[in-house]
Amino acid sequence: MTVKVTNTGKKAGKDVVQLYYTPPYTIGGIEKSHVVLSGFAKTQELAPNQSEEVNISFDVENMASYDEKQNKAYVLEKGNYEIKLMNNSHDVIDSKNYEVAKDIVFDQENKRESDELSATNQFEDAKGDVQYLSRWNWEETMPKEMAQPKEASKELLKALKDQSVNEGKADPIKFKKHGLELYDLKGVDYDDPKWDQLLEQLSVKDMENLITYGGFQTPAINSVKKPATIDADGPAGINHLVSQAHGNQYTSEVVVASTWNTELVEEMGAALGKEAKASNITGLYLPGVNIHRSPFGGRNFEYYSEDALLSGKIGSSLSKGAMDQGSYVFMKHFAMYDQETRRYEFPTGAATWSTEQAMREVFLKPFEIAVKDSGITGIMSSYNRIGPKWVGESEALLQNVLRDEWGFRGTVISDFYKPQYMNVDQGLSAGNDLVLYLLPTKLNNVTTDTDWGQQNMRKASHNILYTVVNSHAYEVAETNVPNWIYLLVTINIAVFTFLLFCFTKTTHRKKPARKFKLFTKK
């Protein structure tokens, strides 16, 4: 669609061109919104009476809805799709009709152009015992009051407390020196056989260090000449929680998204990347792209919007700006995570329930857009569970959807480690590569001493090294020892000295007093 925008006011300014569509809807069929944002663009600054032509396009396949019940795939249903130019999601300026002659099912034989593998149901256990709102049965499904607490079943409690590791079978890994350095793999395709040679140079201890020393850093690995890197928190600016590194603090993500200006947001991302490099920081824990499910969401300040497309496009633009400066980003929190209160309450963490259609069309969509549009190499998994399973242990989410369907290549890092319910060994198997914790986490023997576990470690090492080498890590490597490492060393020495002092005091035996005989002369 080509839209001519004219400033009819008396002051210079910008405006947003918003494009929506209304899909055909059948009562009792696939659930659909009446109006869906499909594209947008921000004009340049226009003087009074100045005009600009803005072009917006989107792929027809993006109008498909996810059919979780019958086809278990995305479906572009036959019928009329009304394409609308609007001032907002309510006020129509102009519209055109687009006719689809017959149903198009994007199944295994007919994947969407943007997918590596066709989407199909992955989250049957996430639906739970919940009454979901329905457009075709609005009156009966709309809640009349706040949901009342109810007791979890024994089966659910058992699933929530399950900390077992599902060990599988695998071939043994090979170890061999090939004389490669990590830098030799910069720009090399993720699936290039050269990676296998580099990974064979890593010992089990190398891989364990790489995976478990993930708190605001990645460690140096001498066997492949990998430099240490520093990672910092966000998303509103450089804010290193365990050092003195701070940068410009920007407005909240709500305000950023309200600009609808992807070019401006990309410039903001570039500025963040430059600040990070100046502070010897390579990785950034940003941006946050979870959905504002409710106006009362406890973490809305660090997420963009209630709309999936707007969140995805803005987050993708910020990521691209930072990555163009050499940073790698960890887009967060993947996924279905929007609360602050009791978010990791002992012993289970919050369990989130949803239909698969809502997950794919709303809650996962911003991450999907960023993976496909900007090629991010970092994702942060979240504290919560999807259904009964912690996100970091969800192979369905981290492998089947993120990597197999969307084509993500890179590292998944956990949110700050909670040992009460985060199983690192099972997480490695599922695709959670790196552990965010200030102290090294312990890998069990099922990981370090088995072929299955070592294969999981090698896969995670591949992902972490791929992310790091395709950044500016080597440009800041010489000074890249985190200040908090020195702080921890100092604290450790002080604690050790204190304990040693206490030990010597409690174990010191007093020597018996000498007995003296007194002699006197007569």
Side-chain angles (χ1 to χ4, degrees):
M1 181 177 287
T2 301
V3 181
K4 184 178 181 180
V5 182
T6 302
N7 182 357
T8 59
K10 296 181 179 180
K11 301 287 185 179
K14 302 177 183 180
D15 206 349
V16 184
V17 179
Q18 301 179 40
L19 197 59
Y20 297 79
Y21 68 88
T22 294
Y25 174 68
T26 303
I27 293 177
I30 303 174
E31 296 285 359
K32 296 178 184 177
S33 297
H34 175 69
V35 62
V36 183
L37 181 67
S38 58
F40 63 90
K42 191 75 175 276
T43 68
Q44 301 299 314
E45 184 170 291
L46 301 178
N49 299 316
Q50 186 179 1
S51 299
E52 179 185 351
E53 284 194 347
V54 176
N55 295 299
I56 303 178
S57 63
F58 65 94
D59 293 329
V60 172
E61 67 177 30
N62 289 349
M63 295 191 293
S65 301
Y66 192 79
D67 177 14
E68 66 180 60
K69 296 178 180 177
Q70 184 175 349
N71 291 286
K72 296 179 173 58
Y74 280 98
V75 178
L76 187 68
E77 289 193 303
K78 68 178 181 180
N80 178 60
Y81 290 75
E82 189 178 5
I83 315 298
K84 303 174 179 179
L85 174 65
M86 304 179 72
N87 271 327
N88 48 59
S89 59
H90 301 281
D91 303 326
V92 179
I93 299 172
D94 195 6
S95 66
K96 302 286 183 181
N97 292 329
Y98 182 87
E99 194 73 24
V100 175
K102 62 179 182 179
D103 287 356
I104 300 174
V105 180
F106 295 101
D107 55 17
Q108 301 304 318
E109 287 75 38
N110 180 40
K111 71 178 184 66
R112 296 183 300 172
E113 288 292 328
S114 63
D115 285 335
E116 295 287 321
L117 190 69
S118 293
T120 193
N121 283 14
Q122 300 287 347
F123 305 101
E124 298 284 0
D125 60 347
K127 195 166 185 178
D129 181 21
V130 180
Q131 173 66 61
Y132 291 97
L133 188 65
S134 173
R135 177 178 169 184
W136 67 272
N137 195 11
W138 186 272
E139 187 63 31
E140 292 185 21
T141 57
M142 170 67 79
K144 305 295 190 299
E145 60 182 8
M146 182 179 291
Q148 298 301 308
K150 58 183 178 181
E151 190 171 339
S153 67
K154 292 182 179 179
E155 292 78 11
L156 176 56
L157 287 174
K158 182 179 179 181
L160 290 171
K161 295 177 181 179
D162 184 11
Q163 285 284 299
S164 61
V165 177
N166 301 318
E167 181 183 352
K169 294 183 178 180
D171 295 327
I173 62 175
K174 298 177 181 178
F175 299 95
K176 188 176 181 180
K177 293 183 179 180
H178 295 280
L180 287 172
E181 297 182 6
L182 178 57
Y183 191 78
D184 298 331
L185 278 294
K186 189 174 181 66
V188 175
D189 188 77
Y190 180 89
D191 296 315
D192 192 288
K194 202 172 182 180
W195 276 104
D196 295 330
Q197 294 181 333
L198 181 85
L199 293 169
E200 288 176 0
Q201 296 180 196
L202 297 175
S203 67
V204 173
K205 190 62 179 177
D206 285 338
M207 294 189 292
E208 185 175 15
N209 289 340
L210 190 59
I211 292 163
T212 61
Y213 284 85
F216 303 98
Q217 64 160 339
T218 67
I221 305 295
N222 293 331
S223 60
V224 292
K225 298 294 188 293
K226 177 204 172 293
T229 65
I230 302 175
D231 301 339
D233 205 8
I238 303 298
N239 181 28
H240 203 284
L241 299 181
V242 287
S243 78
Q244 299 302 311
H246 295 285
N248 184 57
Q249 297 303 296
Y250 294 85
T251 57
S252 74
E253 290 201 347
V254 180
V255 177
V256 173
S258 299
T259 68
W260 297 70
N261 193 329
T262 55
E263 291 183 5
L264 184 63
V265 175
E266 189 172 329
E267 290 179 16
M268 174 184 167
L272 282 166
K274 290 175 182 178
E275 284 185 290
K277 193 172 183 179
S279 298
N280 299 321
I281 292 169
T282 306
L284 298 170
Y285 297 162
L286 57 84
V289 297
N290 290 90
I291 295 298
H292 294 180
R293 189 174 59 87
S294 159
F296 305 108
R299 301 186 72 86
N300 282 358
F301 70 96
E302 66 175 347
Y303 302 139
Y304 291 116
S305 169
E306 72 275 18
D307 185 84
L309 182 80
L310 180 61
S311 298
K313 292 294 186 183
I314 296 294
S316 181
S317 297
L318 186 86
S319 300
K320 186 178 184 303
M323 290 189 300
D324 284 347
Q325 298 301 316
S327 296
Y328 52 80
V329 303
F330 287 105
M331 182 171 279
K332 59 186 188 181
H333 302 90
F334 192 56
M336 306 282 289
Y337 176 77
D338 63 357
Q339 76 181 70
E340 179 70 17
T341 306
R342 305 168 87 174
R343 55 188 172 137
Y344 42 75
E345 187 173 69
F346 180 82
T348 62
T352 308
W353 308 95
S354 176
T355 65
E356 181 136 356
Q357 182 186 10
M359 289 177 66
R360 289 184 175 275
E361 292 187 20
V362 181
F363 300 107
L364 303 186
K365 183 66 70 175
F367 297 94
E368 179 182 2
I369 290 171
V371 168
K372 293 178 177 179
D373 287 2
S374 63
I376 57 174
T377 58
I379 291 278
M380 180 181 288
S381 61
S382 47
Y383 279 127
N384 63 300
R385 299 166 181 262
I386 294 180
K389 182 173 291 187
W390 171 50
V391 163
E393 297 175 29
S394 175
E395 185 175 353
L397 183 69
L398 303 184
Q399 183 62 47
N400 300 351
V401 173
L402 177 63
R403 292 181 165 102
D404 295 345
E405 291 181 12
W406 300 349
F408 173 77
R409 297 291 180 266
T411 306
V412 175
I413 187 174
S414 71
D415 206 334
F416 202 82
Y417 177 56
K418 299 296 175 184
Q420 297 94 328
Y421 64 93
M422 293 183 178
N423 188 318
V424 176
D425 300 277
Q426 192 64 53
L428 275 177
S429 173
N432 197 105
D433 309 300
L434 191 59
V435 185
L436 201 173
Y437 202 49
L438 293 180
L439 298 174
T441 47
K442 175 68 176 174
L443 296 179
N444 290 320
N445 293 342
V446 70
T447 293
T448 58
D449 297 345
T450 68
D451 295 334
W452 173 81
Q454 290 176 7
Q455 287 286 7
N456 293 335
M457 294 174 75
R458 178 156 286 183
K459 178 178 63 177
S461 298
H462 185 184
N463 294 331
I464 297 167
L465 294 176
Y466 179 82
T467 298
V468 171
V469 76
N470 291 298
S471 70
H472 61 51
Y474 283 85
E475 298 176 43
V476 297
E478 292 183 4
T479 56
N480 230 359
V481 178
N483 291 333
W484 63 268
I485 290 290
Y486 297 120
L487 177 63
L488 276 181
V489 170
T490 304
I491 293 173
N492 286 339
I493 293 172
V495 170
F496 178 78
T497 304
F498 175 73
L499 292 175
L500 185 62
F501 172 77
C502 294
F503 178 78
T504 55
K505 281 293 185 183
T506 55
T507 58
H508 178 68
R509 290 184 177 180
K510 289 184 178 180
K511 293 181 179 180
R514 290 182 178 181
K515 294 181 178 180
F516 296 92
K517 289 183 179 181
L518 298 178
F519 297 92
T520 59
K521 288 184 178 181
K522 288 184 180 181

